[in-house]
């Protein structure tokens, strides 16, 4: 039996692990990693491997390839930690930017060896399936927030953003897939991100 | 670039630009503080989309990565915001009369570095693209990476861009050009840490009839020592 939670703030489902409050920030962990601290790396791995793997897998779909690329990214986090610049954004954002870039590179390399039209069709389902095996409370909350922020966008903004980010498509491919003019897609990606940024309260 | 260049900040932050546009936008970023700030915020926003799809990774990954970390060296911190373009000595190719005048400029802009103030790689690209008959030719690759050559009949130089090169122990990517029937070794390129673009500027572009990339052990041979993994005909 799960223990009753005296705090009435959020429903907790059985099997979910509580989030520890005393964890050092991801930035602090990354800065220790930057000084060659392998123990700090192991704890950073535990904090961010799920995000890296989840994002790479969302873009690549294929589990084996995703595993390979996620490993590359996580090793790169270790190698490049000394180059993290706290002034440019959060550590999580730095790590996920790296992960997204790698995943997209892999998609486009693959694509180069195939018929372009085939491939555009292959990843046409870029709806961020909410069928993920998210076990952490943190992830579920993030998930809900992002979903409701996405719901506040126009259909075109949302579809364009999802195809670009989760689908790994260029905005030209997005325009083709949505049958929308290039200029419109460019603009929707930007104003969609502005809306999302404001909805999520993102600030540097 | 046109007025609506600022509009590209969204697509850029989402990695939704193709390589050429990406380099051009990075050139713009170097001189536009408003876009830099916007890109930083957009990246933070996009990473929220990323974090929302976290899944439990395969447990075996952890051991593999931690083991790899034990034997992997870290990169030195960047000491300056600006990484100057390096000029490499031209590799001797005695048979290549036509290429004597060719100077090889190696400009590698990694994603991380290019976020700083490094407009140079794309300066040449912008120059070539400004020519009325500029065109972008995609390399025919084995699928390991993507690449293109931006060239114009009226431009002195052409720009080769490779992106998504994989690091392979004991092997490098060697760039070859065919100039008036001779195969010229232009230089070696390595994978960028982040898989970002690697750019090579080819001078005397009007003498180049094709460009090829091989994967082989490092060296300075005047003939390819490994398989051709990409090529494109220019003329």
């Amino acid at each position: 039996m799960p223990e009753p939670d005296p705090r009435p703030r959020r429903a907790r489902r059985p099997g979910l692990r509580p989030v520890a409050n005393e964890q050092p920030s991801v930035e602090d962990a990354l800065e220790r990693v930057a000084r060659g601290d392998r123990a700090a790396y192991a704890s950073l791995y535990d904090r961010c491997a799920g995000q890296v793997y989840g994002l790479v897998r969302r873009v690549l779909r294929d589990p084996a390839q995703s595993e390979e690329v996620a490993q590359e990214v996580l090793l790169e986090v270790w190698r490049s930690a000394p180059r993290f610049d706290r002034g440019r954004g959060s550590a999580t954002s730095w790590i996920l930017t790296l992960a997204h870039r790698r995943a997209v590179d892999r998609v486009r390399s693959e694509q180069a060896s195939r018929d372009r039209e085939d491939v555009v069709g292959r990843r046409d389902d870029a709806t961020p399936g909410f069928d993920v095996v998210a076990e952490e409370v943190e992830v579920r909350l993030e998930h809900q927030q992002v979903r409701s922020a996405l719901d506040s966008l126009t259909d075109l903004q949302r579809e364009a953003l999802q195809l670009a980010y989760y689908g790994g498509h260029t905005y030209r491919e997005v325009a083709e897939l949505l049958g929308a003019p290039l200029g419109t897609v460019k603009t929707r990606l930007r104003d969609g991100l502005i809306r999302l940024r404001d909805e999520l309260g993102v600030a540097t | 670039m046109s007025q609506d260049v600022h509009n590209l900040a969204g697509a850029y932050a989402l990695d939704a630009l193709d390589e050429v546009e990406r380099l051009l936008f990075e050139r713009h970023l170097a001189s536009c503080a408003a876009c830099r700030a916007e890109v930083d915020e957009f990246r933070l926003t996009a990473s929220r989309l990323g974090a929302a799809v976290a899944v439990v990774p395969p447990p075996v990954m952890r051991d593999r990565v931690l083991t790899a970390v034990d034997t992997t060296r870290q990169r030195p911190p960047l000491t300056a915001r600006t990484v100057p373009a390096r000029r490499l000595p031209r590799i001797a190719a005695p048979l290549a009369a036509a290429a004597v005048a060719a100077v090889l400029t190696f400009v590698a802009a990694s994603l991380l570095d290019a976020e700083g103030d490094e407009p140079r790689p794309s300066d040449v690209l912008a120059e070539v693209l400004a020519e009325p008959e500029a065109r972008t030719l995609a390399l025919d690759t084995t699928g390991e990476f993507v690449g293109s050559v931006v060239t114009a009949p009226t431009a002195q130089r052409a720009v080769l861009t490779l992106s998504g090169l994989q690091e392979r122990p004991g092997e490098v990517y060697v760039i070859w050009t065919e100039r008036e029937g001779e195969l010229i070794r232009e230089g070696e390129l390595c994978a960028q840490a982040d898989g970002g673009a690697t750019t090579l500027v080819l001078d005397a572009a009007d003498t180049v009839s094709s460009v090829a990339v091989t994967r082989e052990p490092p060296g300075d041979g005047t003939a390819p020592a490994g398989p051709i993994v990409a090529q494109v005909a220019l003329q």
Side-chain angles (χ1 to χ4, degrees):
Chain A
M1 283 293 287
E3 284 179 25
D5 187 345
R7 290 165 298 174
R9 37 178 201 148
R10 279 168 187 134
R12 186 173 281 171
R13 304 189 200 177
L16 295 179
R17 277 178 281 155
V19 181
N21 290 325
E22 302 302 319
Q23 279 185 358
S25 73
V26 183
E27 281 73 24
D28 291 341
L30 190 55
E31 283 179 357
R32 296 214 317 275
V33 171
R35 297 193 293 269
D37 184 337
R38 288 189 161 81
Y41 180 81
S43 99
L44 181 68
Y45 179 98
D46 294 335
R47 299 277 289 279
C48 71
Q51 295 177 336
V52 168
Y53 178 70
L55 175 56
V56 169
R57 177 142 181 201
R58 166 70 52 199
V59 175
L60 291 178
R61 300 301 174 103
D62 177 68
Q65 272 202 18
S66 304
E67 202 175 305
E68 191 187 317
V69 172
Q71 279 174 209
E72 279 173 27
V73 171
L74 288 158
L75 190 58
E76 191 51 44
V77 167
W78 160 259
R79 296 180 73 197
S80 291
R83 298 187 170 188
F84 168 62
D85 176 359
R86 209 166 178 158
R88 296 294 302 273
S90 74
T92 300
S93 174
W94 182 75
I95 291 167
L96 289 179
T97 297
L98 206 61
H100 191 259
R101 182 72 233 170
R102 281 280 178 112
V104 161
D105 276 338
R106 177 62 70 98
V107 161
R108 297 194 188 147
S109 314
E110 255 192 8
Q111 196 161 332
S113 64
R114 273 182 234 190
D115 211 359
R116 291 215 161 230
E117 279 129 70
D118 273 354
V119 177
V120 169
R122 186 179 68 90
R123 290 175 291 118
D124 56 359
D125 170 28
T127 316
F130 285 101
D131 54 344
V132 287
V133 198
E135 287 189 353
E136 306 269 351
V137 173
E138 222 173 353
V139 175
R140 287 186 186 276
L141 292 178
E142 183 70 8
H143 206 77
Q144 273 170 14
Q145 279 180 21
V146 167
R147 175 155 55 176
S148 75
L150 280 171
D151 284 345
S152 76
L153 303 180
T154 67
D155 289 347
L156 188 56
Q157 284 175 330
R158 185 173 51 250
E159 284 165 16
L161 269 174
Q162 291 178 348
L163 284 166
Y165 191 72
Y166 291 128
H169 290 289
T170 62
Y171 77 90
R172 286 175 199 283
E173 291 170 336
V174 172
E176 201 178 311
L177 288 165
L178 295 177
L182 271 180
T184 307
V185 168
K186 257 191 271 190
T187 308
R188 291 298 87 85
L189 288 176
R190 177 161 175 258
D191 55 34
L193 275 171
I194 290 173
R195 182 71 193 262
L196 211 54
R197 176 195 72 192
D198 296 344
E199 285 289 320
L200 292 169
V202 170
T204 38
Chain B
M1 283 186 130
S2 61
Q3 285 276 22
D4 69 351
V5 60
H6 306 287
N7 244 346
L8 286 175
Y12 175 77
L14 295 164
D15 296 320
L17 296 181
D18 64 36
E19 274 317 314
V20 170
E21 282 175 311
R22 182 158 86 110
L23 287 167
L24 288 176
F25 187 74
E26 279 169 359
R27 178 166 180 263
H28 167 72
L29 273 186
S31 63
C32 180
C35 280
R36 279 203 301 274
E38 194 169 73
V39 163
D40 283 352
E41 285 186 352
F42 285 171
R43 287 231 162 104
L44 275 171
T45 307
S47 69
R48 297 287 300 273
L49 294 178
V53 294
V55 297
V56 177
V60 63
M61 244 175 68
R62 190 177 193 275
D63 289 342
R64 282 202 210 117
V65 173
L66 294 187
T67 305
V69 157
D70 277 340
T71 56
T72 303
R73 272 207 191 156
Q74 290 183 303
R75 296 174 196 286
L78 288 176
T79 47
R81 300 274 310 186
T82 304
V83 181
R86 283 190 294 152
R87 231 163 228 284
L88 292 188
R90 162 112 195 132
I91 293 155
L95 295 177
V100 169
V103 178
L104 176 74
T105 310
F106 173 82
V107 275
S110 78
L111 177 66
L112 298 173
D113 299 346
E115 276 172 12
D117 310 317
E118 194 197 21
R120 287 183 209 193
S122 40
D123 278 351
V124 182
L125 195 60
E127 222 174 87
V128 179
L129 280 172
E131 297 293 328
E133 288 174 66
R135 49 197 188 131
T136 303
L137 305 166
L139 262 67
D140 189 9
T141 76
T142 54
E144 291 171 51
F145 55 87
V146 285
S148 61
V149 175
V150 176
T151 180
T154 44
Q156 271 299 301
R157 299 185 282 193
V159 182
L160 168 73
T161 303
L162 301 181
S163 156
L165 293 178
Q166 304 294 310
E167 276 186 78
R168 292 173 181 273
E171 286 187 320
V172 293
Y173 293 92
V174 182
I175 314 304
W176 305 85
T177 54
E178 196 183 343
R179 296 174 187 260
E180 296 171 357
E182 301 283 356
L183 201 57
I184 312 300
R185 184 189 185 98
E186 297 283 352
E188 292 173 2
L189 292 179
C190 298
Q192 289 294 298
D194 48 31
T198 309
T199 307
L200 188 68
V201 176
L202 302 166
D203 272 3
D206 55 335
T207 65
V208 178
S209 55
S210 69
V211 176
V213 183
T214 58
R215 203 182 59 231
E216 53 185 80
D220 56 3
T222 54
I228 292 180
V229 290
Q231 60 186 337
V232 66
L234 264 60
Q235 290 165 6

